[in-house]
C-alpha cells in the first residue's frame, strides 16, 4: 500500500463536515422556531447543494422551515442534502483508500425506483414520529414523545420487509427513552442522534427498503477475519473474506445474527450464532468454504445459506491476505450506505512499529501513523490491545473517524519467543485454548439459565 497517500487531506471533506455539523446543531433545539444560528446553518446546507439536482427542493425546504411550516416532504429534502454531503465525503475518502491500496471497485448498477406496495401507512407513521422529533429537538424530547414510537415500531417489526427500519427505530427510541427528558441532559450526542434520525428518515421513504435482485456466485471462500457487532438486544458476526471466482478474486462479506439479552456479553454470544451457520466453524478452523450458487447482493454481501456451502481445504488468513488482498476487486457501495462512518475496508499492515500508550496503541507505518481502534476490539476472543502492541503484522479494517484508524481482526505477534497468529474470532466456532475454554464454560452456564427461563415463560 502507498500509505503516504492517506496522509494528505482529501479536498472538500472538512468543509462538508462543517456544513453537516451546523445542521446537526440545529436539531438540538428543534426546528419549530429556528433562531438566527439555526437559520444560518440551514442556508449553508442549501448553499452546499446549490449546484446539484437537490437545489430547488432544499431551498424550498429551508424557506418553509424558517417560516415555521415544515412538512415531512421538507424534512426529507433536508436529510437528502445532509446525506448527499456525507455521501460525497465517503466517496472521496474511499477513492483515496482504493488508490492507496491499488484496489479496483465496480460501479453501482443502475436500477429503477423501488416500491413499497401496501406499506405506505406504516412508513407514514414512522415519518410522522421522526418529524415530531425534529420539531421538538433533542432538548425537547420527553417520555410521552418517545412513547409515540411504540405502536409504529411494533407494526414495522411485524412486517419482514420493514424490519430493518423497525429495528433502527426501536434502538433509537430506546436511547432517547434512557436520556429523557432532554432538557436535563448534561451532554447531547449530536452527531450520533442526527445520523440515526437521518438514516431512519431515508429508510422511511417509499421504496427505500425494497429488496434489490440478488445474484448468485460460486467459488472458494477464504475468510480473513470476523467483525463482531454487539447491541443489548442483538449480535451480528460479519465475516470479511476473499472469494476466488472464475472472474478473479473479489472481496465479500457474510453475516450471521441472532437476538440476545443485555446480560449476555463476551464469548457467550458465539453460542447464539453457531447454530445458524457453518461459516463460523470454518473461521475458527481456518478452513476455506466451497460455494455453489450462493446468493449475493450487488454490494458484495453474501446471503448466507449452508445449503450452498461445504467445508474446503485449510486456508490460513495471513497467507490469503498476502497473496489475494492486493489483487482482489472490491464491491460497489449501496447508495444508502454511503457514509464515512461505514468505511471498513480490509487491509494487511506489515513493517510497522507498534507503540502502546495510555489511550491505546499506535502503529507507525512508512508514511503514515495510524491509531488502533481499541474500542471496537471485543472481549469475545483472545485478541487484546497488548497483543496488538507486540505485533509485527495485522489484518484489519481501515476506518475513518476524522482520521484513518485500524480495527485489528488478527495479528502476528511474538508469544513466548514464537511468532503466532492471534485472531479476534478464534472462539467463534468453539474455543480450543485454555483461556477460551474457561470463558466458554462460564458463558455456557449463563446461556443455559437464560434458555431455561425463556422456556418457562413460553410455557405459561
Amino acid at each position: 500500500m502507498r500509505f503516504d497517500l492517506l496522509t494528505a487531506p482529501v479536498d472538500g471533506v472538512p468543509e462538508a463536515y462543517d456544513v453537516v455539523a451546523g445542521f446537526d446543531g440545529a436539531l438540538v433545539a428543534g426546528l419549530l422556531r429556528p433562531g438566527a444560528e439555526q437559520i444560518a446553518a440551514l442556508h449553508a446546507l442549501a448553499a452546499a447543494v446549490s449546484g446539484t439536482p437537490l437545489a430547488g427542493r432544499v431551498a424550498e425546504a429551508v424557506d418553509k422551515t424558517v417560516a415555521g411550516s415544515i412538512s415531512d416532504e421538507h424534512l426529507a429534502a433536508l436529510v437528502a442534502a445532509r446525506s448527499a454531503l456525507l455521501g460525497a465525503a465517503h466517496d472521496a475518502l474511499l477513492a483515496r483508500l482504493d488508490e492507496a491500496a491499488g484496489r479496483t471497485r465496480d460501479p453501482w448498477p443502475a436500477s429503477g425506483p423501488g416500491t413499497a406496495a401496501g406499506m405506505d401507512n406504516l412508513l407514514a407513521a414512522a415519518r410522522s414520529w421522526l418529524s415530531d422529533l425534529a420539531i421538538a429537538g433533542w432538548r425537547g424530547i420527553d417520555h410521552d414523545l418517545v412513547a409515540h414510537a411504540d405502536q409504529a415500531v411494533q407494526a414495522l417489526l411485524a412486517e419482514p420487509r420493514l424490519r430493518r427500519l423497525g429495528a433502527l427505530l426501536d434502538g433509537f427510541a430506546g436511547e432517547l427513552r434512557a436520556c429523557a427528558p432532554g432538557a436535563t441532559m448534561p451532554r447531547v450526542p449530536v452527531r450520533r442522534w442526527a445520523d440515526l434520525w437521518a438514516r431512519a428518515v431515508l429508510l422511511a421513504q417509499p421504496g427505500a427498503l425494497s429488496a434489490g435482485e440478488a445474484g448468485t456466485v460460486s467459488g472458494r471462500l477464504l475468510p480473513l477475519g470476523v467483525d463482531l457487532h454487539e447491541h443489548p438486544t442483538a449480535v451480528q458476526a460479519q465475516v470479511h473474506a476473499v472469494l476466488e471466482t472464475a472472474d478473479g478474486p473479489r472481496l465479500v462479506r457474510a453475516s450471521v445474527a441472532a437476538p440476545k439479552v443485555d446480560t449476555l456479553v463476551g464469548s457467550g454470544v458465539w453460542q447464539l450464532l453457531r447454530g445458524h451457520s457453518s461459516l463460523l466453524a470454518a473461521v475458527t478452523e481456518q478452513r476455506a468454504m466451497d460455494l455453489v450458487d450462493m446468493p449475493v447482493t450487488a454490494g458484495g454481501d453474501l446471503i448466507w445459506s449452508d445449503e450452498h456451502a461445504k467445508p474446503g481445504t485449510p486456508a490460513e488468513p495471513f497467507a490469503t491476505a498476502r497473496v489475494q488482498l492486493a489483487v482482489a476487486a472490491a464491491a460497489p457501495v449501496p447508495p444508502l450506505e454511503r457514509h464515512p462512518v461505514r468505511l471498513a475496508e480490509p487491509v494487511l499492515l506489515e513493517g510497522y512499529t507498534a507503540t502502546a500508550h495510555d489511550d491505546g496503541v499506535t502503529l507507525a507505518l512508512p508514511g503514515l501513523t495510524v491509531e488502533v481502534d481499541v474500542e471496537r476490539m471485543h472481549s469475545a476472543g483472545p485478541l487484546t490491545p497488548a497483543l496488538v502492541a507486540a505485533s509485527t503484522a495485522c489484518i484489519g479494517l481501515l476506518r475513518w473517524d476524522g482520521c484513518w484508524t485500524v480495527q485489528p481482526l488478527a495479528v502476528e505477534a511474538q508469544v513466548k519467543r514464537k511468532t503466532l497468529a492471534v485472531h479476534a474470532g478464534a472462539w467463534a466456532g468453539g474455543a480450543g485454548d485454555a483461556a477460551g475454554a474457561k470463558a466458554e464454560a462460564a458463558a455456557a452456564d449463563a446461556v443455559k439459565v437464560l434458555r431455561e427461563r425463556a422456556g418457562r415463560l413460553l410455557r405459561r
Side-chain angles (χ1 to χ4, degrees):
M1 287 187 64
R2 289 194 55 190
F3 295 110
D4 58 302
L5 293 176
L6 300 179
T7 60
V10 180
D11 293 341
V13 171
E15 292 81 1
Y17 267 81
D18 288 342
V19 174
V20 170
F23 175 73
D24 294 351
L27 292 172
V28 175
L31 301 178
L32 179 60
R33 297 183 181 87
E37 187 175 349
Q38 291 172 292
I39 293 173
L42 291 171
H43 283 298
L45 181 67
V49 296
S50 60
T52 74
L54 291 171
R57 291 191 176 186
V58 176
E60 179 186 357
V62 169
D63 291 341
K64 293 293 185 181
T65 304
V66 172
S69 58
I70 192 169
S71 67
D72 291 355
E73 181 182 355
H74 301 136
L75 281 176
L78 296 177
V79 169
R82 179 187 188 274
S83 300
L85 290 176
L86 290 173
H90 167 278
D91 293 350
L93 291 166
L94 185 58
R96 179 65 61 84
L97 192 157
D98 285 343
E99 182 184 3
R103 186 168 294 169
T104 60
R105 189 176 300 272
D106 296 329
W108 183 257
S111 61
T115 60
M119 300 184 291
D120 290 348
N121 58 329
L122 300 181
L123 295 175
R127 293 196 301 270
S128 176
W129 181 69
L130 293 167
S131 295
D132 291 343
L133 286 182
I135 291 171
W138 311 133
R139 288 296 185 189
I141 61 171
D142 55 30
H143 289 287
D144 288 339
L145 176 57
V146 177
H148 290 165
D150 293 345
Q151 188 173 358
V153 167
Q154 291 179 7
L156 291 168
L157 291 175
E159 171 53 61
R161 292 173 294 174
L162 299 180
R163 200 163 287 162
R164 185 180 181 189
L165 174 60
L168 173 58
L169 291 184
D170 189 24
F172 187 27
E175 287 193 24
L176 296 177
R177 185 177 290 109
C179 296
T184 62
M185 288 182 63
R187 177 179 172 273
V188 176
V190 179
R191 174 59 57 80
R192 174 174 173 79
W193 282 2
D195 276 344
L196 292 173
W197 174 80
R199 181 161 180 79
V201 171
L202 289 178
L203 293 181
Q205 303 305 310
L209 285 167
S210 298
E213 292 186 6
T216 60
V217 69
S218 300
R220 184 168 175 255
L221 186 73
L222 306 170
L224 294 168
V226 183
D227 181 17
L228 190 66
H229 306 154
E230 284 192 76
H231 186 272
T233 59
V235 61
Q236 180 189 62
Q238 187 175 67
V239 178
H240 290 261
V242 173
L243 180 65
E244 293 180 331
T245 71
D247 298 325
R250 55 189 286 193
L251 293 173
V252 295
R253 297 173 296 270
S255 301
V256 290
K260 64 179 282 290
V261 294
D262 56 1
T263 56
L264 187 60
V265 296
S267 58
V269 300
W270 296 122
Q271 298 184 45
L272 302 176
L273 298 169
R274 286 175 194 152
H276 293 260
S277 172
S278 62
L279 178 62
L280 297 183
V283 171
T284 297
E285 297 168 3
Q286 296 187 19
R287 186 175 298 277
M289 297 289 284
D290 295 322
L291 310 186
V292 178
D293 296 332
M294 179 72 74
V296 63
T297 68
D301 288 289
L302 301 175
I303 305 174
W304 191 265
S305 171
D306 283 345
E307 296 178 359
H308 298 277
K310 63 179 181 179
T313 57
E316 203 279 318
F318 276 96
T320 298
R322 290 185 172 108
V323 174
Q324 300 282 24
L325 264 186
V327 295
V333 181
L336 292 184
E337 309 298 322
R338 294 167 54 249
H339 190 302
V341 77
R342 298 183 68 86
L343 287 171
E345 293 295 310
V347 293
L348 173 66
L349 305 180
E350 294 183 290
Y352 56 77
T353 301
T355 305
H357 50 81
D358 292 341
D359 297 327
V361 182
T362 300
L363 304 183
L365 293 150
L368 176 69
T369 298
V370 61
E371 286 291 329
V372 174
D373 194 345
V374 294
E375 292 186 0
R376 290 184 181 269
M377 296 181 64
H378 55 79
S379 60
L383 185 59
T384 63
L387 285 170
V388 177
S391 68
T392 56
C394 172
I395 298 173
L397 300 177
L398 205 58
R399 295 183 176 275
W400 174 265
D401 188 14
C403 62
W404 294 108
T405 63
V406 64
Q407 175 193 348
L409 300 181
V411 300
E412 286 185 339
Q414 291 288 328
V415 179
K416 296 181 180 180
R417 299 183 180 180
K418 293 183 179 180
T419 300
L420 298 178
V422 183
H423 299 264
W427 301 342
D433 59 324
K438 183 178 180 180
E440 183 91 359
D445 292 339
V447 173
K448 182 179 179 181
V449 170
L450 289 169
R451 283 175 174 165
E452 288 178 352
R453 291 177 180 175
R456 287 199 298 267
L457 288 173
L458 291 173
R459 288 193 295 269
R460 289 180 179 177

